[in-house]
Protein backbone atom coordinates (compact mmCIF):
# COMPACT_ATOMS: atom_id res chain seq x y z
CA UNK A 1 0.00 0.00 0.00
CA UNK A 2 1.32 3.43 -0.95
CA UNK A 3 2.49 5.57 1.97
CA UNK A 4 0.58 8.83 2.62
CA UNK A 5 1.82 11.86 0.70
CA UNK A 6 1.02 14.55 3.26
CA UNK A 7 4.20 14.19 5.42
CA UNK A 8 6.44 14.70 2.40
CA UNK A 9 4.31 17.60 1.11
CA UNK A 10 4.48 19.31 4.50
CA UNK A 11 8.24 18.72 4.61
CA UNK A 12 8.64 20.23 1.12
CA UNK A 13 6.62 23.30 2.12
CA UNK A 14 8.92 23.78 5.13
CA UNK A 15 11.97 23.49 2.86
CA UNK A 16 10.65 26.18 0.53
CA UNK A 17 10.00 28.44 3.52
CA UNK A 18 13.59 27.96 4.74
CA UNK A 19 15.14 28.17 1.25
CA UNK A 20 16.85 31.58 1.82
CA UNK A 21 18.76 30.19 4.82
CA UNK A 22 19.54 26.93 3.04
CA UNK A 23 20.71 28.80 -0.05
CA UNK A 24 23.13 30.91 2.00
CA UNK A 25 24.67 27.80 3.56
CA UNK A 26 25.00 26.08 0.19
CA UNK A 27 26.60 29.19 -1.31
CA UNK A 28 29.52 28.60 1.05
CA UNK A 29 29.72 24.85 0.30
CA UNK A 30 31.03 25.20 -3.22
CA UNK A 31 34.11 24.48 -5.33
CA UNK A 32 35.20 26.27 -8.46
CA UNK A 33 35.00 23.17 -10.66
CA UNK A 34 31.28 22.64 -10.00
CA UNK A 35 28.39 24.86 -11.03
CA UNK A 36 26.17 26.13 -8.24
CA UNK A 37 23.24 25.14 -10.45
CA UNK A 38 23.98 21.53 -9.50
CA UNK A 39 22.15 22.29 -6.24
CA UNK A 40 19.00 22.49 -8.34
CA UNK A 41 19.71 19.40 -10.43
CA UNK A 42 21.04 21.46 -13.36
CA UNK A 43 24.44 21.50 -15.11
CA UNK A 44 25.68 18.26 -13.60
CA UNK A 45 28.66 18.21 -15.95
CA UNK A 46 29.88 15.34 -18.08
CA UNK A 47 28.49 12.09 -16.72
CA UNK A 48 30.23 8.76 -17.34
CA UNK A 49 28.65 6.40 -19.88
CA UNK A 50 25.49 4.46 -19.00
CA UNK A 51 24.52 2.15 -17.38
CA UNK A 52 25.19 3.94 -14.11
CA UNK A 53 25.17 3.24 -10.38
CA UNK A 54 24.67 6.27 -8.16
CA UNK A 55 26.25 6.43 -4.68
CA UNK A 56 25.65 9.34 -2.31
CA UNK A 57 27.87 10.21 0.67
CA UNK A 58 27.18 13.26 2.83
CA UNK A 59 30.70 14.55 3.39
CA UNK A 60 34.37 13.73 3.72
CA UNK A 61 34.09 11.08 6.45
CA UNK A 62 31.43 9.13 4.63
CA UNK A 63 33.34 9.38 1.35
CA UNK A 64 36.45 7.93 3.00
CA UNK A 65 34.44 5.15 4.62
CA UNK A 66 32.76 4.36 1.29
CA UNK A 67 36.02 3.95 -0.62
CA UNK A 68 36.15 0.12 -0.35
CA UNK A 69 32.53 -0.02 -1.51
CA UNK A 70 33.27 2.24 -4.48
CA UNK A 71 36.20 0.08 -5.51
CA UNK A 72 34.09 -3.04 -4.94
CA UNK A 73 31.35 -1.70 -7.21
CA UNK A 74 33.83 -0.90 -9.98
CA UNK A 75 35.23 -4.42 -9.76
CA UNK A 76 31.89 -6.23 -9.43
CA UNK A 77 30.14 -4.26 -12.19
CA UNK A 78 32.77 -3.72 -14.90
CA UNK A 79 30.08 -2.72 -17.42
CA UNK A 80 28.73 0.08 -15.21
CA UNK A 81 29.89 3.58 -14.36
CA UNK A 82 29.58 5.12 -10.89
CA UNK A 83 28.30 8.63 -10.14
CA UNK A 84 29.37 9.86 -6.70
CA UNK A 85 27.56 12.73 -5.00
CA UNK A 86 28.28 14.67 -1.81
CA UNK A 87 26.67 17.57 0.01
CA UNK A 88 29.85 19.39 1.10
CA UNK A 89 32.90 20.91 -0.55
CA UNK A 90 35.22 18.88 1.69
CA UNK A 91 33.42 15.73 0.54
CA UNK A 92 33.96 16.80 -3.07
CA UNK A 93 37.67 17.19 -2.39
CA UNK A 94 37.87 13.72 -0.85
CA UNK A 95 36.09 12.19 -3.85
CA UNK A 96 38.44 13.99 -6.25
CA UNK A 97 41.45 12.57 -4.40
CA UNK A 98 39.90 9.10 -4.59
CA UNK A 99 39.22 9.41 -8.32
CA UNK A 100 42.76 10.65 -8.95
CA UNK A 101 44.15 7.50 -7.33
CA UNK A 102 42.21 5.12 -9.58
CA UNK A 103 43.56 3.59 -12.78
CA UNK A 104 42.91 5.54 -16.00
CA UNK A 105 40.25 2.98 -16.95
CA UNK A 106 38.37 3.35 -13.66
CA UNK A 107 38.76 7.14 -13.68
CA UNK A 108 36.72 7.17 -16.90
CA UNK A 109 33.95 5.29 -15.07
CA UNK A 110 33.85 7.65 -12.06
CA UNK A 111 32.54 11.17 -11.75
CA UNK A 112 31.41 13.51 -9.00
CA UNK A 113 28.71 16.14 -8.71
CA UNK A 114 26.79 17.72 -5.85
CA UNK A 115 23.50 16.27 -4.71
CA UNK A 116 20.71 18.78 -5.35
CA UNK A 117 18.78 20.30 -2.50
CA UNK A 118 15.86 18.13 -1.52
CA UNK A 119 13.24 20.16 -3.40
CA UNK A 120 10.79 18.06 -5.46
CA UNK A 121 11.67 19.61 -8.84
CA UNK A 122 15.44 19.54 -8.26
CA UNK A 123 15.48 15.88 -7.24
CA UNK A 124 13.30 14.84 -10.19
CA UNK A 125 15.64 16.60 -12.61
CA UNK A 126 18.67 14.98 -11.02
CA UNK A 127 17.33 11.41 -11.15
CA UNK A 128 16.03 11.92 -14.70
CA UNK A 129 19.44 13.22 -15.84
CA UNK A 130 21.58 10.56 -14.13
CA UNK A 131 19.21 7.67 -14.90
CA UNK A 132 20.84 5.29 -12.42
CA UNK A 133 20.01 1.59 -12.43
CA UNK A 134 20.62 1.54 -8.68
CA UNK A 135 20.72 4.31 -6.05
CA UNK A 136 22.86 3.71 -2.95
CA UNK A 137 22.67 6.06 0.04
CA UNK A 138 25.37 5.91 2.70
CA UNK A 139 24.65 5.76 6.44
CA UNK A 140 21.83 8.21 7.31
CA UNK A 141 21.17 10.07 4.06
CA UNK A 142 17.38 9.85 4.22
CA UNK A 143 16.30 12.63 1.86
CA UNK A 144 12.54 12.22 1.36
CA UNK A 145 12.21 13.87 -2.06
CA UNK A 146 15.35 12.22 -3.42
CA UNK A 147 14.01 8.81 -2.44
CA UNK A 148 10.52 9.63 -3.75
CA UNK A 149 11.98 10.75 -7.11
CA UNK A 150 13.75 7.38 -7.38
CA UNK A 151 10.51 5.53 -6.67
CA UNK A 152 8.67 7.59 -9.30
CA UNK A 153 11.26 6.60 -11.90
CA UNK A 154 11.46 2.97 -10.71
CA UNK A 155 15.04 3.22 -9.44
CA UNK A 156 15.68 0.77 -6.56
CA UNK A 157 17.14 2.47 -3.48
CA UNK A 158 19.46 0.85 -0.92
CA UNK A 159 20.74 2.39 2.30
CA UNK A 160 24.13 0.86 3.20
CA UNK A 161 26.18 1.07 6.37
CA UNK A 162 22.90 2.26 7.85
CA UNK A 163 23.29 3.92 11.20
CA UNK A 164 21.14 5.98 13.57
CA UNK A 165 22.84 7.41 16.62
CA UNK A 166 20.65 7.75 19.74
CA UNK A 167 20.61 11.51 19.25
CA UNK A 168 19.61 11.27 15.57
CA UNK A 169 16.96 8.69 16.47
CA UNK A 170 15.34 11.04 18.99
CA UNK A 171 15.33 13.80 16.38
CA UNK A 172 13.77 11.58 13.71
CA UNK A 173 11.14 10.28 16.15
CA UNK A 174 9.59 13.75 16.11
CA UNK A 175 9.17 13.29 12.34
CA UNK A 176 8.02 9.68 12.42
CA UNK A 177 5.25 9.99 9.78
CA UNK A 178 7.76 11.52 7.35
CA UNK A 179 10.43 8.95 8.19
CA UNK A 180 8.00 6.04 7.88
CA UNK A 181 6.81 7.18 4.45
CA UNK A 182 10.45 7.69 3.34
CA UNK A 183 11.70 4.34 4.65
CA UNK A 184 8.79 2.61 2.92
CA UNK A 185 10.54 3.37 -0.40
CA UNK A 186 13.87 1.80 0.67
CA UNK A 187 14.21 -1.58 -1.03
CA UNK A 188 17.10 -2.80 1.13
CA UNK A 189 18.67 -1.42 4.30
CA UNK A 190 22.07 -2.77 5.37
CA UNK A 191 22.33 -1.93 9.08
CA UNK A 192 25.73 -1.88 10.67
CA UNK A 193 24.64 -3.01 14.16
CA UNK A 194 21.64 -4.61 15.89
CA UNK A 195 20.94 -1.33 17.72
CA UNK A 196 20.81 0.56 14.43
CA UNK A 197 18.48 -2.04 12.94
CA UNK A 198 16.08 -1.71 15.88
CA UNK A 199 16.04 2.09 15.59
CA UNK A 200 15.20 1.92 11.88
CA UNK A 201 12.37 -0.51 12.67
CA UNK A 202 11.06 1.85 15.34
CA UNK A 203 10.91 4.63 12.73
CA UNK A 204 8.73 2.48 10.48
CA UNK A 205 11.15 0.56 8.27
CA UNK A 206 9.81 -2.87 7.34
CA UNK A 207 11.71 -5.64 9.10
CA UNK A 208 11.94 -7.76 5.94
CA UNK A 209 13.96 -5.05 4.16
CA UNK A 210 16.65 -4.86 6.89
CA UNK A 211 19.81 -6.99 6.96
CA UNK A 212 22.55 -6.86 9.58
CA UNK A 213 25.87 -6.69 7.69
CA UNK A 214 28.31 -4.95 10.06
CA UNK A 215 30.21 -1.71 9.60
CA UNK A 216 31.89 -0.83 6.30
CA UNK A 217 34.20 1.43 8.31
CA UNK A 218 36.24 -1.66 9.21
CA UNK A 219 36.85 -2.29 5.49
CA UNK A 220 39.87 -0.04 5.31
CA UNK A 221 41.61 0.56 1.99
CA UNK A 222 45.35 -0.07 1.80
CA UNK A 223 47.24 2.49 3.89
CA UNK A 224 50.72 1.69 2.54
CA UNK A 225 51.05 4.88 0.50
CA UNK A 226 49.97 7.06 3.43
CA UNK A 227 52.31 5.19 5.78
CA UNK A 228 55.30 5.65 3.47
CA UNK A 229 54.70 9.38 3.08
CA UNK A 230 53.95 9.84 6.77
CA UNK A 231 57.12 8.01 7.83
CA UNK A 232 59.09 10.16 5.39
CA UNK A 233 57.77 13.30 7.05
CA UNK A 234 58.52 11.92 10.52
CA UNK A 235 62.09 11.16 9.47
CA UNK A 236 62.41 14.62 7.92
CA UNK A 237 61.32 16.30 11.16
CA UNK A 238 63.71 14.30 13.34
CA UNK A 239 63.11 12.79 16.77
CA UNK A 240 60.20 14.98 17.82
CA UNK A 241 57.09 14.23 19.85
CA UNK A 242 54.63 14.63 16.97
CA UNK A 243 50.90 14.24 17.52
CA UNK A 244 48.01 14.79 15.15
CA UNK A 245 44.55 16.21 15.82
CA UNK A 246 42.36 15.24 12.87
CA UNK A 247 38.85 16.36 11.86
CA UNK A 248 38.80 19.11 14.49
CA UNK A 249 35.65 21.20 14.89
CA UNK A 250 34.86 24.71 16.03
CA UNK A 251 35.56 25.14 19.73
CA UNK A 252 38.09 22.30 19.86
CA UNK A 253 41.27 23.92 18.63
CA UNK A 254 41.56 26.13 21.72
CA UNK A 255 41.31 23.03 23.95
CA UNK A 256 43.89 21.16 21.87
CA UNK A 257 46.31 24.09 21.94
CA UNK A 258 45.92 24.21 25.72
CA UNK A 259 46.88 20.53 25.89
CA UNK A 260 49.80 21.17 23.54
CA UNK A 261 51.00 24.00 25.77
CA UNK A 262 51.05 21.61 28.73
CA UNK A 263 52.82 18.94 26.67
CA UNK A 264 55.56 21.40 25.67
CA UNK A 265 56.58 21.72 29.31
CA UNK A 266 57.70 18.06 29.23
CA UNK A 267 58.61 17.84 25.54
CA UNK A 268 59.79 21.28 24.39
CA UNK A 269 60.32 20.00 20.81
CA UNK A 270 56.73 18.66 20.52
CA UNK A 271 54.86 19.35 17.28
CA UNK A 272 51.07 19.43 16.86
CA UNK A 273 49.53 18.79 13.43
CA UNK A 274 45.99 20.22 13.28
CA UNK A 275 43.64 19.14 10.47
CA UNK A 276 40.27 20.98 10.65
CA UNK A 277 37.28 19.04 9.42
CA UNK A 278 35.92 21.79 7.16
CA UNK A 279 38.04 23.75 4.65
CA UNK A 280 36.12 26.99 5.19
CA UNK A 281 37.66 27.09 8.67
CA UNK A 282 41.29 26.75 7.56
CA UNK A 283 42.02 30.49 7.60
CA UNK A 284 40.16 31.03 10.88
CA UNK A 285 42.20 28.35 12.63
CA UNK A 286 45.45 29.73 11.18
CA UNK A 287 44.61 33.27 12.32
CA UNK A 288 43.67 32.05 15.81
CA UNK A 289 47.00 30.22 16.15
CA UNK A 290 48.98 33.23 15.01
CA UNK A 291 47.03 35.60 17.25
CA UNK A 292 47.82 33.37 20.23
CA UNK A 293 51.54 33.52 19.41
CA UNK A 294 52.09 30.00 18.13
CA UNK A 295 54.89 29.35 15.62
CA UNK A 296 52.76 28.09 12.72
CA UNK A 297 53.47 26.50 9.34
CA UNK A 298 50.75 25.85 6.74
CA UNK A 299 50.86 22.81 4.48
CA UNK A 300 48.77 24.46 1.73
CA UNK A 301 51.42 27.18 1.40
CA UNK A 302 54.27 24.63 1.43
CA UNK A 303 55.80 26.30 4.45
CA UNK A 304 58.53 24.10 5.93
CA UNK A 305 58.38 22.58 9.39
CA UNK A 306 61.43 23.96 11.16
CA UNK A 307 62.83 23.28 14.62
CA UNK A 308 60.90 26.35 15.80
CA UNK A 309 57.52 25.22 14.39
CA UNK A 310 55.07 24.35 17.14
CA UNK A 311 51.89 23.87 15.11
CA UNK A 312 51.56 22.53 11.55
CA UNK A 313 48.20 23.25 9.91
CA UNK A 314 47.05 20.48 7.57
CA UNK A 315 44.91 22.79 5.44
CA UNK A 316 44.71 20.55 2.36
CA UNK A 317 42.10 18.06 1.18
CA UNK A 318 42.54 14.31 0.89
CA UNK A 319 45.68 14.07 3.04
CA UNK A 320 44.31 13.19 6.47
CA UNK A 321 45.64 9.61 6.37
CA UNK A 322 49.12 10.84 5.42
CA UNK A 323 49.12 13.37 8.24
CA UNK A 324 47.84 10.81 10.76
CA UNK A 325 50.77 8.62 9.68
CA UNK A 326 53.14 11.55 10.20
CA UNK A 327 52.39 11.54 13.93
CA UNK A 328 53.18 9.10 16.70
CA UNK A 329 49.80 9.55 18.43
CA UNK A 330 46.45 10.61 16.95
CA UNK A 331 43.55 12.54 18.45
CA UNK A 332 40.23 12.32 16.57
CA UNK A 333 38.16 15.49 16.69
CA UNK A 334 34.47 16.26 16.93
CA UNK A 335 34.69 14.63 20.36
CA UNK A 336 35.84 17.33 22.80
CA UNK A 337 32.66 19.20 21.92
CA UNK A 338 29.24 17.46 21.87
CA UNK A 339 29.15 16.54 18.18
CA UNK A 340 29.36 12.74 18.36
CA UNK A 341 32.96 12.25 17.23
CA UNK A 342 34.56 11.14 13.95
CA UNK A 343 36.08 7.94 12.62
CA UNK A 344 38.57 6.56 15.14
CA UNK A 345 39.40 3.66 12.81
CA UNK A 346 41.33 5.84 10.36
CA UNK A 347 44.40 6.37 12.59
CA UNK A 348 44.00 2.91 14.14
CA UNK A 349 44.40 1.37 10.69
CA UNK A 350 47.79 3.11 10.49
CA UNK A 351 48.93 1.48 13.73
CA UNK A 352 48.74 4.68 15.79
CA UNK A 353 47.48 4.88 19.39
CA UNK A 354 44.20 6.78 19.26
CA UNK A 355 42.82 9.39 21.66
CA UNK A 356 39.35 10.88 21.63
CA UNK A 357 37.18 13.17 23.69
CA UNK A 358 34.18 11.83 25.58
CA UNK A 359 31.56 12.69 22.91
CA UNK A 360 31.86 9.69 20.62
CA UNK A 361 28.32 8.30 20.37
CA UNK A 362 28.28 8.42 16.54
CA UNK A 363 31.11 5.87 16.48
CA UNK A 364 30.40 3.92 19.66
CA UNK A 365 30.10 0.60 17.82
CA UNK A 366 33.58 0.85 16.26
CA UNK A 367 35.09 2.53 19.31
CA UNK A 368 34.19 -0.23 21.77
CA UNK A 369 36.40 -2.99 20.32
CA UNK A 370 39.32 -0.55 20.11
CA UNK A 371 38.81 0.47 23.74
CA UNK A 372 38.68 -3.18 24.78
CA UNK A 373 42.28 -3.77 23.63
CA UNK A 374 43.60 -0.39 24.79
CA UNK A 375 43.98 1.01 21.28
CA UNK A 376 41.59 3.89 22.03
CA UNK A 377 41.64 6.09 25.13
CA UNK A 378 38.97 8.66 25.95
CA UNK A 379 40.09 11.90 27.61
CA UNK A 380 37.77 14.37 29.30
CA UNK A 381 39.73 17.63 29.10
CA UNK A 382 43.02 19.23 27.95
CA UNK A 383 44.82 18.12 31.12
CA UNK A 384 43.88 14.48 30.56
CA UNK A 385 44.81 14.76 26.88
CA UNK A 386 48.26 16.18 27.70
CA UNK A 387 48.82 13.42 30.27
CA UNK A 388 47.83 10.67 27.80
CA UNK A 389 50.12 12.12 25.14
CA UNK A 390 53.06 12.34 27.54
CA UNK A 391 52.47 8.73 28.64
CA UNK A 392 52.53 7.54 25.04
CA UNK A 393 55.73 9.45 24.20
CA UNK A 394 57.41 8.17 27.37
CA UNK A 395 56.58 4.55 26.46
CA UNK A 396 57.25 4.18 22.73
CA UNK A 397 57.33 0.37 22.80
CA UNK A 398 53.94 0.24 24.49
CA UNK A 399 52.61 2.72 21.92
CA UNK A 400 53.72 0.39 19.13
CA UNK A 401 51.99 -2.58 20.79
CA UNK A 402 48.79 -0.59 21.29
CA UNK A 403 48.84 0.53 17.66
CA UNK A 404 49.29 -3.04 16.44
CA UNK A 405 46.39 -4.20 18.63
CA UNK A 406 44.18 -1.62 16.90
CA UNK A 407 45.13 -2.90 13.46
CA UNK A 408 44.32 -6.45 14.54
CA UNK A 409 40.84 -5.35 15.72
CA UNK A 410 40.14 -3.90 12.29
CA UNK A 411 41.31 -7.09 10.59
CA UNK A 412 39.02 -9.24 12.78
CA UNK A 413 35.94 -7.16 11.94
CA UNK A 414 36.18 -7.23 8.15
CA UNK A 415 33.46 -8.88 6.05
CA UNK A 416 30.83 -6.16 5.78
CA UNK A 417 31.89 -5.28 2.23
CA UNK A 418 31.25 -8.79 0.90
CA UNK A 419 27.87 -8.92 2.64
CA UNK A 420 26.93 -5.47 1.30
CA UNK A 421 27.82 -6.35 -2.30
CA UNK A 422 25.87 -9.60 -1.96
CA UNK A 423 22.79 -7.69 -0.81
CA UNK A 424 23.07 -5.14 -3.60
CA UNK A 425 23.24 -7.95 -6.14
CA UNK A 426 19.59 -8.77 -5.38
CA UNK A 427 18.69 -5.27 -6.61
CA UNK A 428 21.16 -5.17 -9.50
CA UNK A 429 22.46 -8.58 -10.63
CA UNK A 430 26.11 -8.60 -11.66
Amino acid sequence: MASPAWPRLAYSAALYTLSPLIGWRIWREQVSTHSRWQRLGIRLGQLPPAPRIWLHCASVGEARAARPLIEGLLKSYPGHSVVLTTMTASGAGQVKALIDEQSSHDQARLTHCFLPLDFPGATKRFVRRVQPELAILFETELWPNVIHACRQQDVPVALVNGRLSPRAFKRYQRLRPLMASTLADIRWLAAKSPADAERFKALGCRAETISLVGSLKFEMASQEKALREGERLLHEWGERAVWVAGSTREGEEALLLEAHSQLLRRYPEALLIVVPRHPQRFDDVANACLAAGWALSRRSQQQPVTAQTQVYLGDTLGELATLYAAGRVAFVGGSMVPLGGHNVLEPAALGRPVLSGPYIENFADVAEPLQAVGALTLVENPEALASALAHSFANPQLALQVGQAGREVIHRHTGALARTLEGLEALLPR
Side-chain angles (χ1 to χ4, degrees), residues 98-407:
L98 187 155
I99 292 174
D100 289 345
E101 292 179 13
Q102 303 303 307
S103 66
S104 58
H105 173 68
D106 285 344
Q107 282 183 359
R109 299 166 56 209
L110 275 170
T111 193
H112 170 270
C113 59
F114 284 111
L115 183 72
L117 298 172
D118 203 33
F119 299 124
T123 55
K124 287 179 185 177
R125 281 191 294 271
F126 174 83
V127 176
R128 193 181 302 123
R129 173 73 173 90
V130 176
Q131 293 185 321
E133 292 197 352
L134 174 63
I136 306 172
L137 309 178
F138 203 82
E139 292 198 345
T140 322
E141 289 300 285
L142 296 171
W143 296 102
N145 283 319
V146 165
I147 294 171
H148 180 70
C150 288
R151 185 177 74 82
Q152 283 187 313
Q153 299 185 44
D154 201 28
V155 177
V157 179
L159 182 73
V160 302
N161 210 51
R163 73 177 180 94
L164 272 178
S165 68
R167 184 168 55 178
F169 176 62
K170 289 179 182 178
R171 187 167 65 245
Y172 283 137
Q173 275 185 311
R174 304 189 194 108
L175 304 170
R176 193 182 185 283
L178 176 63
M179 289 297 100
S181 64
T182 300
L183 288 166
D185 291 332
I186 299 290
R187 296 274 289 275
W188 183 58
L189 195 153
K192 68 182 184 61
S193 75
D196 291 300
E198 289 303 317
R199 291 178 192 128
F200 280 114
K201 288 180 190 176
L203 287 180
C205 189
R206 301 187 311 275
E208 62 270 20
T209 67
I210 301 176
S211 299
L212 182 61
V213 301
S215 177
L216 283 169
K217 286 185 168 66
F218 285 107
E219 307 287 336
M220 306 296 291
S222 173
Q223 302 293 313
E224 293 308 311
K225 181 179 178 182
L227 277 169
R228 286 196 303 271
E229 178 61 16
E231 293 289 351
R232 185 192 67 78
L233 290 172
L234 262 177
H235 179 75
E236 182 180 304
W237 297 334
E239 294 298 319
R240 301 182 66 171
V242 183
W243 67 288
V244 185
S247 295
T248 61
R249 304 289 291 272
E250 188 172 0
E252 276 189 318
E253 286 86 10
L255 301 174
L256 299 172
L257 289 170
E258 183 180 340
H260 191 50
S261 179
Q262 295 179 31
L263 182 68
L264 286 169
R265 296 171 194 162
R266 291 190 59 180
Y267 294 90
E269 82 292 350
L271 173 67
L272 165 61
I273 304 175
V274 179
V275 189
R277 177 76 168 183
H278 298 121
Q280 60 265 33
R281 297 188 58 243
F282 288 164
D283 289 341
D284 291 342
V285 174
N287 292 334
C289 290
L290 292 171
W294 291 95
L296 176 77
S297 294
R298 298 186 64 167
R299 187 164 179 82
S300 67
Q301 299 178 12
Q302 299 182 334
Q303 295 172 344
V305 173
T306 67
Q308 288 71 43
T309 304
Q310 297 169 311
V311 179
Y312 188 40
L313 182 61
D315 52 349
T316 55
L317 295 175
E319 290 195 301
L320 181 59
T322 295
L323 294 176
Y324 272 141
R328 303 185 190 279
V329 187
F331 173 87
V332 180
S335 60
M336 276 286 195
V337 288
L339 293 173
H342 290 302
N343 192 354
V344 292
L345 295 176
E346 292 176 328
L350 295 158
R352 299 310 189 244
V354 185
L355 305 174
S356 171
Y359 302 105
I360 199 169
E361 61 268 22
N362 288 350
F363 291 85
D365 60 324
V366 297
E368 288 171 4
L370 291 178
Q371 286 181 273
V373 299
L376 170 65
T377 302
L378 303 189
V379 292
E380 296 283 339
N381 50 47
E383 292 75 19
L385 174 56
S387 177
L389 289 166
H391 178 74
S392 188
F393 292 131
N395 299 276
Q397 193 59 41
L398 177 61
L400 287 174
Q401 293 173 1
V402 164
Q404 182 58 33
R407 297 185 83 173

